[in-house]
Amino acid sequence: MATTTAPARSGPDRSGPDTAGPGARTAELHAIRAQALAGPSGKATAAQHAKGKLTARERIELLLDAGSFREVEQLRRHRASGFGLEEKRPYTDGVVTGWGTVEGRTVFVYAHDFRIFGG
């Protein structure tokens, strides 16, 4: 009876000098998420508030039950080019999307973030 062995699976080579460990990659992801949550800049947020307007996430938080919002595609970025767009690739692409609850009922929501590309 002949036995066969499965070929070894090869994954990405993670032995290079510029490879970060899982802890560093997790920290990087948390930093990116914090950047996405903060928006394009404090100046843009201040300008929005100066107009008497709330940010997209602030509006969503007012609508939904506390702590129920689950965002999807938070780290989404466009791939458009032309008109300088290839150099401006903000997270969420100016639309905050997800679901949560209103008085315990599940709802799906989205809001345009006017701080990014004017909404």
Side-chain angles (χ1 to χ4, degrees):
M1 174 181 218
T3 59
T4 59
T5 58
R9 292 188 181 187
S10 63
D13 180 17
R14 298 187 191 262
S15 61
D18 61 342
T19 304
R25 292 191 185 267
T26 301
E28 179 184 5
L29 178 60
H30 286 298
I32 291 170
R33 288 189 68 217
Q35 181 183 354
L37 287 171
S41 70
K43 183 179 175 183
T45 302
Q48 187 77 354
H49 289 160
K51 295 175 188 174
K53 298 180 178 181
L54 300 173
T55 67
R57 286 187 177 80
E58 290 169 341
R59 295 192 310 270
I60 289 171
E61 288 297 320
L62 283 175
L63 173 67
L64 300 178
D65 296 338
S68 70
F69 183 56
R70 299 293 176 257
E71 189 170 350
V72 296
E73 301 291 342
Q74 181 183 51
L75 304 182
R76 168 69 71 189
R77 296 172 106 175
H78 72 79
R79 290 180 268 176
S81 62
F83 305 105
L85 286 174
E86 57 276 354
E87 295 180 24
K88 292 182 83 175
R89 297 186 61 226
Y91 294 104
T92 73
D93 245 0
V95 181
V96 179
T97 308
W99 73 89
T101 58
V102 174
E103 296 185 6
R105 293 182 177 178
T106 300
V107 296
F108 297 88
V109 296
Y110 74 93
H112 292 274
D113 190 341
F114 292 98
R115 301 171 303 161
I116 300 173
F117 299 132

